[in-house]
Amino acid sequence: MAFSSWKDIPAAGDAPAFRVFEGDLEKPALDDRQYRLLELHNGLRAVLVHDQAADKAAASLAVTTGYMLDPDDIPGLAHFCEHMMIKATLFVCLIQGSEKYPSESDYHSFISANGGIRNAVTGPPSTEYWFSISPSALAGGLERLADLHCAPLFTESLTAREVNAVDSEFKRNWQNDARRVLQVNKTLGIPGHPWSKFGTGNYVSLTAAGRRLGEDVSEETVLKETRRRLVEWWKSQYCASRMMLAVIGKESLDELTGLVVPVFSKIANRGLDPRPAFKNDAWGPEHMGTVVFVQTVKDYHAFSLSFQLPDLREHYATKPASFLAHFLGHEGPGSICAYLKKRGWLLDISAGVSGTSRSVQFFKISGRLTLEGYLHYRDVIRTIFGYIALLRAAFPLEPYHFNEVKTMAETRFRFKEKAQPHRNASALAHGLAEPYPPEWLLSGAALYREYDEALVKGILEDFVPERGRIVLEAKAHRPEVVGDDVVWETEKWYGTRYAVKRMDESFLQELGKPSENKELHLPAPNPFIPQDLSVGKIDPAKYPVLIKRTEKSQLWYKKDDQFWVPKAHVKIDIKTPLAYATPRLAMLTRLFVDLVEDALAEVTYDADLAGLSYSVVNQIEGLTVSVGGYSDKIHVLLGTVLDKLRGLQVHPDRLRVLKEKIQREYENFYMGQPSGLSESYATWAFMPTIWTPAEKLLELSLITENDVSRHRDELLSRVFVEALVNGNVTRERAIEILGVAEQSLNYRPLVPSETPRQRSLVLPPASNVISRRQHANPKEVNSSLSYYLQFGEVTDVNLRSTLALIAHILREPCYAILRTEEQLGYVVACAQWSINGTIGLGVKIQSTRAPWFTESRVDVFFERMGDRIAAMPADDLATQKEGLIVKTLERPKNLGEESARFWGHIRSGYYDFVKHEADADAIRALTLAEVIRTYDALVRPSTSEQTRRKLSVHLLSQQLHEEPPAPRPATIVLSEVDKGSNTHMALFKSGLECAPAATPVISAAFGEHAPAFDFYRTSAGSSSDASLAGPGRNHTSFVHGAGTGPGPDTESGGAP
């Protein structure tokens, strides 16, 4: 292939000189965006993307400097620098002689106010800063992003706060098993190798240099030294030539060039190596041919087998290691996975390349084991090496193996859909650091262009036991597995206990022998490879239409009219009251679903490779079956899944394996992140019926294979089916798909009153409820607060829009004040929540401080923000409203996102497909007086004593040794003693009323079937009707509303 050249563009006015790439980028067939590659005079490379249809703009700046470049004596400095960089806007401008941005948190505030999100992440070889934003605010976002990297002045006050922020982040992940195992792996390498570094950092590592100044040095002196070393390191490692920028906007390419070149050309080029790489071996001979036993926090069993890879950066056209992963991670007949599952040893497996192209890379085969698999780990490893020997012996490989991988890669790239802009920008920025020719920026990571069998075989030849490392993970290792001659050690940073043992000679010899396992063989040709990739185009519509309705089912349908991909999504709700009526039935349903997926794993793996996917999920209301992918074969996969669902044969050995898996999962639930747990507990507090993992575990041991078979028959005997077909499928084919479901399930209809409908509990006015319980992990240092305010019903368009605006206004100040300024913890967030037809506002904080203290700070924050909102200038309110409207009207970027949005409206029971449009109109009409009135009535503690409905969950660390203060008058405190206890909360909930269940919002989407829903039209109204009360409606009359859990704006999810 002949590659194009670059053209020099001379300086013009204030715009410095730069270079522009003159060639064309290889693009997906559906990609209608325009691209331009630039190289600024300071060495910074940029890709600009003109997307005329963009309703969100985005930018990502990737720097080829990560924690592998940390100084040896200050682990975590790159991560700390990232924290400091995104807080330094004010100081950049001050030293440039400008006070354009008036506050330290201006970058965050500007992005948030304009409907955007932002983040930064530090990896081993690189650091990334990204944001998405309203298209109209892209210029301001780019200017601020550039200023972050020009000449930040890292202040002493910010240094002290962000050292604590990094330490809080470390403490958040201190009990995370994945991070603990990774650090053990890194410890067991060549001393001083960059790969071995402790990348996160904590207070101890970041202040180590300052503490070496002397025993009696003050904290102030220590932090000054940290700051000095930070500035020194930043100057030595941050450089324009190490930066890659991706920008996506509505502006033309010339306009985007005009936004980027002047501001990013100011970043200094210090002449550093633009793409530093770390390809020297991280392991010496003494680090290979070993078994590493690691003690975990959670109770599970897992293994990994890893091999160092050579430098493969130049082999992007052949991707030899990824091709090998196709075989070693296969899950179909004859695979390692299928054989080990048949023996009852394996739960799941994965194989592939670990690490980025400029870092040390490993080929890693890993999976979760059953207890029997752990006890037979040597047999598991024998099976893997047996398959490797089988693969070696199969060379030269049949051509179809590579051709299938190549064909599906080409098909995926050809029909690649748009993603969220910030994700797209991130991928493009990192792609600029790869060695692809510029023409292949979009396709380089995706396509297999040629087959190099000698290279593939050469890599496979190095997959020998002497060059491998086995890691075995368990909470409590058995003596018969570990042996008596091991020495247990403690990893420095996470305190993880581990032991290393060399593989004995007899085991090495066994692993080197040819395979005699007749059950292993290479994959057969894939019958699911799509053949028909044609797409029919039609005029666009806003929502699906109800095209069929009977006493047994109803079908929503929409032909793809904007993405033009040969794909479809089919979602089927199978509603039955028997799925969740008791803890035993809930446990039986979960087991049934897991057994179905387990039985389908072998048969459907080829479908997965061919771009098809499925899921079967247990819900409180029944089951949800989802199938998605290329429409050519989607009906074949759906039929396979439904036939297995109805005709499942329960095998005792698989039931035993899955019961063990579920038991560990449910027991480990209580060992999870405190903030996640407190959110779950708060959500459950508002649900009339919820069976906790502990309650369901009481039933697990009593269930037999006959129980599951009987439950299958009873569960599916009488149901109501609701389905959505969205994509490249005709109306006639959609009706056929529903017919396949009805025929496969072969059921009788429910009586309408039997159809499960979820509702929320309602707190009475003036509620102040506190639920306290202790975290199950005695070593977890963090406590958590989930603070919920109940607003009202989601059908009240004016109320929900006011809530959305309040949450939008509070989001950034909550982070800036409670996290950055007050240093309460790493996890701090404020968001609206919605579930089962009710809405509210929530704050969560994970902290080493007591939850009653963090709750008191939330109260002060709400008071402080009440004053700020009351004094908000009209221009600021307008900016906040416009930013929220941008978020509200954001369109789905691909068929999957559109299907998920439609399905959310269908499962909610409201079918309000144009809710976002009504919300945007209501937000535009909101006045400051309305916002203040709602805030004072439902949020602000000092003005809402008689109207607020508040519930908070205090999840306490066992290392917290202070007593809570005496509760305020009228406070209800519910304390649960045992980790799984729900006694006091259940008694409290029994006295609460329920909010109304969802009623459909009748619209043109109901088509000819609308008259069947006239009852709802006349008795319940709609979200549009709710807004007729006008902007002056009294929000304190929301007494019939309730809600559960901040987080995604979804009505319900999978059953706990």
Side-chain angles (χ1 to χ4, degrees):
M1 178 177 182
F3 294 109
S4 304
S5 60
W6 293 76
K7 178 181 178 181
D8 291 321
I9 306 297
D14 294 334
F18 62 94
R19 296 199 306 156
V20 62
F21 179 66
E22 292 189 300
D24 294 323
L25 271 61
E26 186 175 27
K27 300 195 302 182
L30 299 173
D31 193 345
D32 58 358
R33 293 167 289 195
Q34 297 175 9
Y35 295 82
R36 177 178 291 175
L37 295 181
L38 307 178
E39 185 176 283
L40 307 189
H41 73 85
N42 58 5
L44 183 148
R45 282 205 169 187
V47 54
L48 312 180
V49 185
H50 164 60
D51 186 351
Q52 185 59 47
D55 55 3
K56 268 287 181 70
S60 170
L61 185 70
V63 188
T64 57
T65 295
Y67 69 71
M68 293 179 82
L69 287 166
D70 278 347
D72 291 337
D73 61 335
I74 313 183
L77 194 62
H79 182 212
F80 175 56
C81 181
E82 168 235 301
H83 272 245
M84 296 286 286
M85 291 284 289
I86 58 176
K87 305 281 192 347
T89 310
L90 167 67
F91 310 116
V92 172
C93 297
L94 287 178
I95 64 173
Q96 291 175 343
S98 167
E99 295 186 7
K100 187 173 181 180
Y101 309 138
S103 71
E104 185 179 282
S105 59
D106 174 80
Y107 175 66
H108 294 178
S109 301
F110 182 82
I111 301 296
S112 180
N114 285 283
I117 54 176
R118 83 291 170 278
N119 205 351
V121 59
T122 304
S126 62
T127 304
E128 181 191 3
Y129 305 82
W130 62 261
F131 68 80
S132 69
I133 201 166
S134 167
S136 62
L138 175 61
L142 289 174
E143 189 174 359
R144 286 163 172 82
L145 182 62
D147 276 340
L148 296 182
H149 294 83
C150 285
L153 181 63
F154 302 123
T155 68
E156 292 177 7
S157 63
L158 189 60
T159 298
R161 281 181 277 135
E162 290 308 311
V163 164
N164 288 329
V166 170
D167 193 61
S168 292
E169 184 174 351
F170 166 73
K171 287 175 178 173
R172 173 183 181 266
N173 297 315
W174 184 54
Q175 295 290 288
N176 181 294
D177 281 313
R179 289 178 180 257
R180 294 166 72 91
V181 173
L182 174 62
Q183 196 60 43
V184 168
N185 253 320
K186 293 200 292 184
T187 298
L188 298 173
I190 295 173
H193 193 287
W195 182 73
S196 68
K197 293 185 176 179
F198 170 47
T200 297
N202 61 13
Y203 182 86
V204 172
S205 72
L206 293 174
T207 59
R211 285 184 280 107
R212 280 193 295 272
L213 296 176
E215 294 183 3
D216 300 325
V217 294
S218 66
E219 180 78 359
E220 181 181 4
T221 302
V222 167
L223 292 173
K224 280 184 177 180
E225 178 63 10
T226 299
R227 176 185 173 278
R228 186 191 71 78
R229 292 293 301 276
L230 168 65
V231 173
E232 177 183 85
W233 181 86
W234 177 79
K235 289 179 178 178
S236 70
Q237 299 297 343
Y238 267 61
C239 173
S241 62
R242 286 186 173 179
M243 296 181 182
M244 283 75 58
L245 173 69
V247 179
I248 302 172
K250 292 175 71 76
E251 293 85 351
S252 69
L253 291 177
D254 286 343
E255 290 170 329
L256 289 172
T257 301
L259 294 179
V260 166
V261 172
V263 294
F264 285 93
S265 294
K266 296 176 184 177
I267 301 173
N269 182 357
R270 298 187 171 92
L272 305 178
D273 177 3
R275 308 287 183 269
F278 310 88
K279 304 306 291 188
N280 294 334
D281 284 352
W283 293 347
E286 69 275 23
H287 304 119
M288 298 180 283
T290 58
V291 183
V292 182
F293 303 95
V294 182
Q295 291 183 359
T296 59
V297 174
K298 291 186 176 181
D299 187 10
Y300 67 90
H301 300 101
F303 83 96
S304 68
L305 170 63
S306 301
F307 305 94
Q308 284 187 116
L309 287 171
D311 187 352
L312 298 175
R313 280 176 294 173
E314 300 303 320
H315 300 293
Y316 48 79
T318 56
K319 300 177 174 60
S322 296
F323 181 58
L324 285 172
H326 168 71
F327 297 96
L328 296 171
H330 208 281
E331 298 178 25
S335 65
I336 296 168
C337 179
Y339 174 76
L340 293 177
K341 279 189 171 182
K342 186 177 179 180
R343 296 300 301 265
W345 294 340
L346 186 73
L347 295 173
D348 54 47
I349 199 169
S350 65
V353 178
S354 169
T356 61
S357 64
R358 291 185 301 103
S359 174
V360 176
Q361 289 185 303
F362 300 90
F363 190 93
K364 183 177 178 182
I365 306 163
S366 60
R368 292 183 301 158
L369 300 170
T370 63
L371 175 58
E372 282 299 306
Y374 164 78
L375 295 173
H376 289 84
Y377 88 90
R378 286 188 166 221
D379 294 312
V380 171
I381 300 301
R382 284 188 191 100
T383 302
I384 295 172
F385 276 104
Y387 193 94
I388 290 172
L390 172 74
L391 184 55
R392 281 197 199 101
F395 283 88
L397 296 175
E398 292 285 338
Y400 74 83
H401 291 298
F402 182 78
N403 289 340
E404 285 185 354
V405 171
K406 181 175 185 288
T407 297
M408 284 314 305
E410 290 169 348
T411 303
R412 283 191 298 270
F413 181 71
R414 176 184 171 190
F415 296 106
K416 184 179 181 181
E417 298 176 79
K418 289 182 180 179
Q420 285 294 325
H422 67 274
R423 297 188 188 282
N424 194 11
S426 176
L428 289 171
H430 285 288
L432 287 170
E434 298 298 330
Y436 317 135
E439 285 89 342
W440 292 356
L441 173 64
L442 304 180
S443 61
L447 298 182
Y448 291 75
R449 300 178 189 276
E450 56 193 45
Y451 178 47
D452 187 337
E453 185 157 276
L455 180 60
V456 173
K457 192 174 181 181
I459 292 173
L460 191 63
E461 290 298 329
D462 280 342
F463 289 3
V464 293
E466 293 81 1
R467 292 184 58 82
R469 173 186 289 180
I470 301 166
V471 176
L472 203 59
E473 304 169 36
K475 186 178 180 69
H477 284 280
R478 299 286 188 94
E480 62 268 36
V481 171
V482 180
D484 301 323
D485 55 343
V486 297
V487 177
W488 288 94
E489 300 180 64
T490 302
E491 189 276 319
K492 177 179 180 179
W493 298 109
Y494 289 89
T496 309
R497 298 281 289 165
Y498 69 94
V500 183
K501 190 174 183 178
R502 295 207 66 80
M503 298 185 210
D504 57 75
E505 193 58 37
S506 61
F507 188 38
L508 288 171
Q509 289 179 3
E510 283 183 63
L511 298 179
K513 292 178 181 177
S515 173
E516 297 180 358
N517 188 335
K518 302 303 181 185
E519 295 186 53
L520 298 178
H521 58 79
L522 301 190
N526 190 339
F528 283 96
I529 300 290
Q531 306 299 320
D532 181 5
L533 296 172
S534 59
V535 176
K537 296 191 175 184
I538 60 171
D539 293 333
K542 287 185 177 181
Y543 39 72
V545 175
L546 184 61
I547 63 171
K548 184 176 180 182
R549 184 176 186 272
T550 69
E551 63 175 352
K552 297 179 69 174
S553 63
Q554 60 186 30
L555 171 64
W556 297 88
Y557 165 74
K558 181 175 178 290
K559 174 78 172 67
D560 177 26
D561 52 24
Q562 56 179 310
F563 303 111
W564 314 127
V565 287
K567 297 179 182 179
H569 291 269
V570 178
K571 297 180 181 293
I572 301 173
D573 249 358
I574 303 170
K575 300 181 180 181
T576 165
L578 298 181
Y580 201 77
T582 66
R584 180 176 174 81
L585 289 175
M587 191 72 262
L588 281 163
T589 304
R590 167 65 194 273
L591 275 168
F592 171 57
V593 163
D594 281 16
L595 284 162
V596 167
E597 292 208 315
D598 182 70
L600 285 167
E602 257 189 77
V603 228
T604 59
Y605 188 72
D606 276 339
D608 180 68
L609 292 177
L612 292 165
S613 62
Y614 84 95
S615 66
V616 183
V617 180
N618 55 303
Q619 311 273 7
I620 289 177
E621 309 95 326
L623 307 175
T624 298
V625 176
S626 301
V627 179
Y630 295 104
S631 49
D632 179 38
K633 300 289 177 71
I634 203 167
H635 63 289
V636 178
L637 179 58
L638 179 63
T640 303
V641 172
L642 292 174
D643 287 347
K644 184 62 69 176
L645 193 72
R646 200 65 178 93
L648 176 73
Q649 298 298 309
V650 182
H651 299 291
D653 57 334
R654 296 313 298 165
L655 178 61
R656 174 183 55 78
V657 166
L658 293 174
K659 285 172 71 174
E660 178 190 326
K661 170 195 163 192
I662 291 172
Q663 178 161 350
R664 293 188 190 282
E665 176 189 324
Y666 282 6
E667 289 174 345
N668 286 333
F669 170 84
Y670 296 100
M671 300 286 284
Q673 276 285 346
S675 58
L677 284 173
S678 64
E679 295 289 276
S680 294
Y681 294 141
T683 299
W684 298 348
F686 290 94
M687 301 180 74
T689 302
I690 190 74
W691 310 122
T692 67
E695 290 166 334
K696 288 183 287 188
L697 275 176
L698 297 174
E699 302 293 331
L700 184 60
S701 63
L702 307 175
I703 293 174
T704 66
E705 57 267 28
N706 290 333
D707 294 331
V708 179
S709 297
R710 188 164 49 250
H711 183 63
R712 173 204 61 206
D713 295 338
E714 293 173 352
L715 186 74
L716 300 176
S717 62
R718 296 175 61 248
V719 302
F720 183 79
V721 168
E722 184 159 34
L724 167 69
V725 178
N726 184 39
N728 187 43
V729 175
T730 64
R731 179 188 178 101
E732 293 71 28
R733 173 58 70 87
I735 293 173
E736 288 175 11
I737 286 172
L738 179 63
V740 167
E742 292 181 338
Q743 184 177 356
S744 296
L745 296 175
N746 189 25
Y747 61 95
R748 293 187 296 123
L750 292 175
V751 174
S753 60
E754 291 181 290
T755 305
R757 303 178 71 197
Q758 288 203 64
R759 301 171 71 182
S760 291
L761 295 172
V762 182
L763 290 173
S767 294
N768 185 22
V769 182
I770 298 173
S771 173
R772 287 198 183 115
R773 61 178 73 217
Q774 203 169 58
H775 197 282
N777 183 358
K779 294 184 178 180
E780 177 59 68
V781 298
N782 290 290
S783 298
S784 182
L785 166 73
S786 288
Y787 183 118
Y788 285 19
L789 296 172
Q790 210 170 42
F791 269 47
E793 292 183 28
V794 72
T795 50
D796 186 337
V797 65
N798 206 49
L799 179 61
R800 75 179 183 231
S801 300
T802 310
L803 164 64
L805 184 55
I806 289 172
H808 181 68
I809 292 170
L810 294 182
R811 180 169 170 257
E812 189 279 327
C814 177
Y815 179 92
I817 294 171
L818 299 181
R819 183 186 184 273
T820 304
E821 183 180 316
E822 298 193 17
Q823 295 285 290
L824 294 185
Y826 180 72
V827 179
V828 176
C830 178
Q832 61 179 316
W833 48 267
S834 172
I835 191 167
N836 300 342
T838 56
I839 53 178
L841 183 71
V843 175
K844 67 176 177 181
I845 300 176
Q846 181 170 300
S847 175
T848 54
R849 306 292 297 271
W852 42 86
F853 174 77
T854 55
E855 177 164 328
S856 72
R857 300 314 302 163
V858 172
D859 286 337
V860 172
F861 168 73
F862 282 149
E863 290 290 344
R864 182 174 171 181
M865 289 305 301
D867 293 337
R868 184 183 295 188
I869 291 171
M872 181 174 286
D875 287 350
D876 288 359
L877 179 64
T879 299
Q880 295 284 354
K881 287 165 62 175
E882 188 55 39
L884 178 58
I885 289 169
V886 167
K887 291 170 69 174
T888 303
L889 294 179
E890 186 175 354
R891 296 185 298 273
K893 300 301 182 289
N894 51 59
L895 186 67
E897 288 186 12
E898 183 186 67
S899 299
R901 179 177 291 189
F902 290 157
W903 191 235
H905 288 306
I906 291 167
R907 292 209 76 244
S908 75
Y910 292 103
Y911 308 95
D912 193 357
F913 299 108
V914 292
K915 173 174 171 282
H916 57 293
E917 295 180 0
D919 288 351
D921 290 340
I923 293 164
R924 285 191 189 95
L926 282 175
T927 65
L928 183 60
E930 288 179 272
V931 176
I932 294 170
R933 183 163 59 249
T934 302
Y935 191 90
D936 286 349
L938 304 181
V939 180
R940 192 169 190 165
S942 64
T943 57
S944 59
E945 187 175 342
Q946 299 304 313
T947 51
R948 238 176 41 138
R949 300 156 183 256
K950 188 226 104 188
L951 178 142
S952 62
V953 172
H954 295 181
L955 185 61
L956 310 180
S957 165
Q958 293 187 38
Q959 298 190 28
L960 184 67
H961 303 297
E962 63 177 271
E963 292 298 316
R968 294 192 305 235
T971 300
I972 299 173
V973 180
L974 309 171
S975 296
E976 306 291 354
V977 178
D978 184 67
K979 68 177 182 183
S981 172
N982 211 32
T983 306
H984 295 136
M985 179 57 75
L987 288 172
F988 172 73
K989 287 165 59 174
S990 67
L992 300 179
E993 296 179 356
C994 279
T999 53
V1001 175
I1002 311 303
S1003 69
F1006 285 79
E1008 64 186 76
H1009 301 287
F1013 296 86
D1014 277 345
F1015 169 78
Y1016 298 113
R1017 191 196 304 270
T1018 56
S1019 65
S1022 71
S1023 64
S1024 299
D1025 296 332
S1027 67
L1028 297 178
R1033 72 181 301 152
N1034 179 5
H1035 292 322
T1036 61
S1037 63
F1038 74 115
V1039 292
H1040 48 291
T1044 68
D1049 187 11
T1050 55
E1051 300 300 327
S1052 64

